[in-house]
Amino acid sequence: MLPPRVSPSGTFGPFGGRYVAETLVPALDELTSAFHTIVFSEVFQTELRELLASYVGRPTPLTRAHRFARWLDPEAHFLHRLYLKREDLCHTGAHKINNALGQALLAKKMGKTRIIAETGAGQHGVATATACALFDLPCFVYMGAEDIRRQAPNVGRMKLLGAQVIPVTSGSSTLKDAMNEALRDWVTNVRTTHYCIGSTAGPHPYPELVATLQSVIGEEARAQCLALGSLPDAVVACVGGGSNAMGIFRAFLDDPSVALYGVEAAGDGVASGHHAATLTAGRIGVLHGSKSYVLCDDGGQIQEAHSISAGLDYPGVGPEHAWLKDSGRAHYLNATDNEALVVLDKLGKTEGILAALETAHAYARLRDIARDLAEQRGHPVTLLVSHSGRGDKDLETLLTRLLPLLPEPTRAY
Amino acid sequence: MPTESRLSRIFASRRVLVAYLCVGDPSLDESLELARACVRAGADVLELGVPFSDPAADGPVIARAGARALARGGGLSATLRVASALRTESDVPLVLFGYYNPIYVRGEARAVDEAADAGIDAFLVVDLPLEEAGTLRRLAANRGLTVVPLLAPTSSPQRIEAVRLAHAEVPMDFVYYVSVTGITGAAGVQAADAGTKARTLREALGLPVVVGFGIDSQEKARAAGQQADGVVVGTALVRAIEEGQSAADRVERVSSLIALLRQGLDGT
């Protein structure tokens, strides 16, 4: 487990902090203290490692994508090798379980008797419901009504796992509104309840806690790359709140030769105003307890995000990403709904891997990244992608939105 | 400065009734009328609520009001315009009540200047705990304004002491005690217990303490007011506005609720 990167006051450079109602401050103090004393203890680490191995299926493999790499660059002019860190092979189908399992174990040790969570794509909700079933904790998941509609399979999974899914109809009925509702629940039931936040967002210590629990992705991937001979030239991940990206980036932060790229959701295109590209087009503000980039108007009112991917459909982003952007350590690009759909289709047909819509955004910029980097470095580059989740949950969206984009002969599903 | 402020004068004179309005609900013009009605009916302090897109500390009643207000052009600028209009005609203390992002995006220094020019007396920012409020408190003090801290049932003795130290450094006018762990409009408030807690806090801090969240009846105002320096009515007032059938009906409902709570408070 990597050492913390957050300052003692909970900031990453000028970002982060704790912008919450007074009632929650003591709970955040309690969680911070438990994080330091419990999570970093040998006992906890041993227990978590055992669960990650025997229950989640870690370490997840590194897959070399030959055919997809040649689709991107047939003559290997700029892309040498492409490796996928297969978080889709985790139990429950995405990286979210790494964090949910760790937080549920922590909550149990803190004596909390009830777990709440917010979810967008439903992957964090499913992961939390799974961890709660395993640890015998009652689980309540807040989910926007719009997301319940577009991620129906995950709603069913949560219910089968014993969780209560609570529809949220305020605002845009998506992830940010689910988070507001979860915060309302937490402030009301704070003494007994642990709020299991699913991304590297929220008030201190959540961004650090979630990044710590997710950093297993990058630690494994880095060792796997070294075992294959060398570090990659760049690591690429999709960014909504930013947990899979932070999870894979952290292990490479001190490797100056490894460039880091996050890809945000551009929805209909950044220029259209219908997007979720917070780091690209947002401004510095405060949302859900931390200072970071946000999408908001001149009056400070938060704007609705738009993305085909429920997991990236969020007008904020984790504060550590804001700091990595402003400090220049990581670069942030974006991909539209249609770009994500097209590349998702191609990955399926060349590698036999159906990515989650969130994950597909990372693939949509690989060609650009490889081309630029190869030019800078004077040789074809090796890229490592955080393949954060699988696409089963997105079937309905894929079949309705992808089909019209494909040329006629390939439409015969 | 603090002993001269409108807020400290009112706290020195009687048990204080604080009325919260979500500015812009149901319209900016009506908010001004409703604010006047509150003062006529016996409110001592007005909390002018700046509607926010993501009111995570508010219950459904105030959250709905915020959405209506935003749809009618509400926000920080509009709230300050209503404050200016009130200030030209009344000396009632005005507290700008809201979430941090509109203030942060405006720029804290500019927000303080505009608030001071509009006749605002204090800021109350629900998602800006003491640790994050240092800059706003210093900027506000330079213009003769204060920032109201909140304390909750979960606040530890260390946090209460932190408020005392912050007050010694940059004086405050009063403290807002959140009567329950919950969101605005929470049910099941033990008003008398909250009043007792408020008195304990006043003794520890040397500052007036008002009780808010869940004060919705004459009985609760009386029970809390026996030991607290004042009470805040928010959700019940906003609900009265929501249930009103016409502008006149809304003024009538707001006035009678304020009068009722005034009686409850004065009956102590």
Side-chain angles (χ1 to χ4, degrees), chain B:
Chain B
M1 180 271 295
T3 48
E4 308 298 322
S5 75
R6 291 187 192 99
L7 280 162
S8 52
R9 279 204 301 274
I10 202 85
F11 277 105
S13 67
R14 62 164 159 176
R15 297 216 191 271
V16 168
L17 178 58
V18 183
Y20 169 92
L21 291 171
C22 178
V23 176
D25 174 41
S27 72
L28 292 165
D29 288 345
E30 251 194 77
S31 285
L32 186 58
E33 276 308 316
L34 292 165
R36 290 174 178 138
C38 285
V39 175
R40 277 198 306 271
D44 301 303
V45 174
L46 294 178
E47 282 181 354
L48 299 179
V50 180
F52 183 53
S53 52
D54 293 76
D58 284 303
V61 174
I62 291 182
R64 282 199 302 271
R68 286 193 298 266
L70 286 173
R72 301 300 296 266
L76 181 56
S77 300
T79 306
L80 290 174
R81 283 201 303 275
V82 169
S84 290
L86 280 167
R87 184 51 78 226
T88 59
E89 61 190 56
S90 163
D91 209 31
V92 63
L94 299 174
V95 177
L96 191 77
F97 186 106
Y99 290 79
Y100 185 50
N101 198 51
I103 293 170
Y104 180 80
V105 167
R106 181 66 52 101
E108 287 179 304
R110 188 177 152 200
V112 165
D113 281 339
E114 291 179 3
D117 294 345
I120 295 287
D121 296 284
F123 287 91
L124 197 163
V125 189
V126 288
D127 56 350
L128 194 70
L130 201 61
E131 291 77 0
E132 310 285 2
T135 309
L136 185 65
R137 290 179 54 235
R138 280 187 293 277
L139 289 166
N142 290 340
R143 290 296 310 264
L145 276 65
T146 57
V147 177
V148 180
L150 292 105
L151 286 169
T154 52
S155 299
S156 62
Q158 290 87 335
R159 290 195 65 73
I160 295 164
E161 176 63 9
V163 170
R164 195 185 67 78
L165 292 172
H167 171 52
E169 187 195 333
V170 182
M172 302 162 174
D173 284 307
F174 71 102
V175 172
Y176 189 124
Y177 178 63
V178 176
S179 61
V180 285
T181 58
I183 49 181
T184 52
V189 174
Q190 301 298 316
D193 295 350
T196 307
K197 179 70 186 180
R199 192 179 72 174
T200 313
L201 289 173
R202 181 183 60 229
E203 284 162 3
L205 297 168
L207 272 167
V209 180
V210 301
V211 171
F213 282 38
I215 303 295
D216 59 0
S217 68
Q218 194 174 23
E219 293 67 38
K220 282 184 187 164
R222 179 181 293 125
Q226 272 169 8
Q227 302 201 62
D229 296 286
V231 299
V232 185
V233 57
T235 298
L237 206 54
V238 172
R239 187 183 285 117
I241 293 167
E242 185 173 55
E243 288 171 354
Q245 301 299 310
S246 65
D249 186 31
R250 286 186 279 273
V251 165
E252 169 57 34
R253 284 170 190 255
V254 160
S255 303
S256 37
L257 179 59
I258 292 290
L260 208 63
L261 296 173
R262 179 82 260 166
Q263 286 161 21
L265 216 48
D266 291 345
T268 57

Side-chain angles (χ1 to χ4, degrees), chain A residues 9 11 16-26 29 171 176-177 179-181 183-185 187-191 283-288 291 294 296-303, chain B residues 50-60 63 70 74-76 100-106 126-132 150-156 159 178 180-183 213:
Chain A
S9 61
T11 53
R18 215 180 243 181
Y19 298 86
V20 293
E22 169 64 25
T23 308
L24 292 179
V25 173
D29 282 340
K176 86 172 171 77
D177 310 290
M179 202 153 172
N180 289 335
E181 211 54 48
L183 283 166
R184 291 179 182 125
D185 180 316
V187 82
T188 306
N189 302 295
V190 62
R191 291 189 174 97
R283 63 171 104 202
I284 299 172
V286 171
L287 175 65
H288 294 146
K291 187 181 288 177
V294 298
C296 74
D297 64 19
D298 292 340
Q301 304 295 337
I302 306 300
Q303 292 167 321
Chain B
V50 180
F52 183 53
S53 52
D54 293 76
D58 284 303
L70 286 173
L76 181 56
Y100 185 50
N101 198 51
I103 293 170
Y104 180 80
V105 167
R106 181 66 52 101
V126 288
D127 56 350
L128 194 70
L130 201 61
E131 291 77 0
E132 310 285 2
L150 292 105
L151 286 169
T154 52
S155 299
S156 62
R159 290 195 65 73
V178 176
V180 285
T181 58
I183 49 181
F213 282 38

Side-chain angles (χ1 to χ4, degrees), chain A residues 240-316:
Chain A
S243 72
N244 91 87
M246 235 28 264
I248 199 161
F249 284 178
R250 276 225 167 169
F252 297 95
L253 287 173
D254 297 326
D255 293 320
S257 70
V258 181
L260 305 174
Y261 292 90
V263 184
E264 297 189 295
D268 297 335
V270 171
S272 73
H274 293 259
H275 62 82
T278 311
L279 287 165
T280 308
R283 63 171 104 202
I284 299 172
V286 171
L287 175 65
H288 294 146
S290 59
K291 187 181 288 177
S292 184
Y293 281 80
V294 298
L295 297 178
C296 74
D297 64 19
D298 292 340
Q301 304 295 337
I302 306 300
Q303 292 167 321
E304 291 180 10
H306 294 271
S307 171
I308 191 171
S309 141
L312 304 182
D313 201 350
Y314 181 62

